Amino acid sequence: MTGFPAAPPVLSTSATHIFEDDVAPAVSIPDSQRSPDQIHIRYEIDRTVAEIKRGRWKRIALQFPDSMLPDAPTVFESLTRHLHQAKSTDSKSKQRVNDHLPHADEKPVNTRHESYPEKLSILADTSYGACCVDEIAAEHVDADVVVHYGRACLSPTARLPVIHVFTIQPLATNLVMKSFESTYPDRDQSIILMSDITYASHLPQISEMLREQGYSSIFTTEIVHDPSSPLPNRTVPESVRLDASNLKAWRLFHISDPPDSLLLTLASRVSSIHVFPTTIAPTTHALAAPAVSSTIALRRRYALLTSVSTASIFGILINTLSVKHYLHMVEHVKSCISAAGKKSYTFVVGKINAAKVANFSEIGAWVVIGCWESSLIDSKDFWKPILTPFELELALKSDDERVWTGEWKSDFQTVLQEAKGVPSGGASVKLDTHAKGPSTDSFDGDLDPEPESVPPQFDLRTGRYVANSRPMQEQSQASDPKGQHRGQERSDLALVQRPKREVATIGNQVSPGAEFLRSNRIWKGLGSNFDIEYDLSEGSDSTAIEEGRSGLARGYLTAHSATRT
């Protein structure tokens, strides 16, 4: 038999180690190791100072992504010093002009409005994605202009001017040349040379070296502020500008891994895509650039949008407040959902995560309104699917109308243009973007206005038919079964009563979200278990209100006894 332990077990940390922590410390952001000259070149200090002086801006907001925050203090000091030097030089030159006026009646140069020093502010934490300009944070410091550093989506802003500094990243051009020659041995092929924004400064040199090697059909892209372009934010060949379908004859060589939204957009527009990765060490880099296929990703997106065709409630996530025309896109999405007989709720969020959207269990699917890069979100970590506006329009179509061509569009400005009947340059096949559910005009007044008269939809996920996938359409049919008041606005049509069940209403408006909470939530608030009595027996008193405890937390006093509990 085992005896008792000789000493008590150690249940706590000894007093000698009370201030020691066994947990590994968090990795801190190291200080910038770059020299001032490297900072000056990489962050284009001279060009930034010149544009600030040209615009005569006094309050400047500097927006950095998280990866560049260690360089932010050095950039701040360098810009402050060069702005002060430029100001001193301008003051001396203007004073020299005033001292040598040829005529006495000429007015001297007025420098009083330029005497105030420039005020710089660092925006460390962005409200939304790092690729977007954070106009909300810039307005908090009353900025006149935003200097955006790093890669950007180049979506047009709504309020403030922007100076984009893409930063100059180092690139092994000799490895790029070897990879290009191994990938395209035929020097007569039509090839588009493209790169990530941060490597765009190396393209002219690489293009010139390729032409010296005998490549005659090379088109080098340049950066433009046009996400709706056939090559988003890039120039296109002259033949593609005349006819976007000619882009299919070109091959694309891309330096650095493109974002998923760009890859899906280009997959159906060019002949092939080869990517030169910049995250691999130069010593282990393969010669030929691997070909990239988006077939599997497109299949997943199509399966995602077909799985939400039976969702009755959609949530609209506004993930930007600075992209131009985002409010027009919100109204367009609302109208598409309403036309399909479904209900929508609007949410304004910052950075989207699974915990935020999981709080709303009544939402069947989400739609993100953001920039063309951040709108594509992988839904594997989320409880409900998340779609883009382009995918929503396909999901709202019936099985007979939905045609999947393999084309994918990321920019919602293109969706808006096609909704207005303006053909986009990047679409070879024009799709009808007006989401149409079963029209209420097609139902005759003699039909039964019961919910069973609406054709059910087949749910691919569960393998069952869903009869209440269009609650708002059923509301209009139940309120006006014979179509006598169709097209008229009547407040008494907002309340719907169905046989055997009454739809929950808020402010005389049918609310599928409230109906979901009423039918699926067990706990509905304090006192909810007493609502049956005064609903069934008219005039009966409700549950009596009892006095609870009072006093301090260390000793409450009850109403029946003066003793502390």
Side-chain angles (χ1 to χ4, degrees), residues 229-243:
S229 173
L231 298 176
N233 294 322
R234 300 296 191 278
T235 56
V236 295
E238 184 64 26
S239 60
V240 178
R241 192 180 307 171
L242 300 176
D243 186 2

Side-chain angles (χ1 to χ4, degrees), residues 149-321:
Y149 291 98
R151 68 179 319 279
C153 60
L154 298 181
S155 298
T157 56
R159 291 175 288 271
L160 294 178
V162 184
I163 300 176
H164 284 284
V165 179
F166 304 127
T167 67
I168 300 176
Q169 301 290 340
L171 181 65
T173 55
N174 57 337
L175 293 179
V176 176
M177 291 292 299
K178 293 180 180 179
S179 177
F180 191 96
E181 293 175 358
S182 300
T183 306
Y184 304 107
D186 186 3
R187 284 170 166 73
D188 295 330
Q189 294 178 342
S190 299
I191 305 170
I192 296 177
L193 184 61
M194 185 176 172
S195 72
D196 190 74
I197 282 181
T198 55
Y199 297 96
S201 59
H202 301 280
L203 290 184
Q205 177 187 0
I206 296 175
S207 176
E208 185 64 26
M209 296 170 63
L210 289 174
R211 287 188 172 87
E212 293 177 356
Q213 296 295 328
Y215 289 94
S216 57
S217 299
I218 298 294
F219 177 80
T220 306
T221 59
E222 298 179 0
I223 297 176
V224 293
H225 294 251
D226 186 12
S228 302
S229 173
L231 298 176
N233 294 322
R234 300 296 191 278
T235 56
V236 295
E238 184 64 26
S239 60
V240 178
R241 192 180 307 171
L242 300 176
D243 186 2
S245 61
N246 293 331
L247 188 60
K248 198 67 178 179
W250 290 79
R251 296 168 175 82
L252 179 67
F253 185 84
H254 195 278
I255 300 176
S256 185
D257 295 326
D260 295 337
S261 57
L262 178 61
L263 183 61
L264 291 180
T265 302
L266 296 177
S268 61
R269 300 184 181 181
V270 296
S271 176
S272 62
I273 303 176
H274 289 79
V275 176
F276 177 85
T278 56
T279 55
I280 302 177
T283 56
T284 60
H285 206 293
L287 290 180
V292 179
S293 176
S294 61
T295 304
I296 298 178
L298 286 174
R299 289 175 180 174
R300 290 175 179 174
R301 300 306 299 183
Y302 182 68
L304 192 68
L305 66 92
T306 53
S307 66
V308 303
S309 59
T310 56
S312 59
I313 305 176
F314 283 84
I316 303 175
L317 290 173
I318 301 180
N319 194 33
T320 180
L321 295 177

Side-chain angles (χ1 to χ4, degrees), residues 496-516:
V496 181
Q497 291 187 354
R498 296 182 182 177
K500 301 180 182 180
R501 193 165 73 95
E502 185 178 282
V503 179
T505 60
I506 297 179
N508 292 333
Q509 294 293 329
V510 172
S511 176
E515 176 63 29
F516 177 89

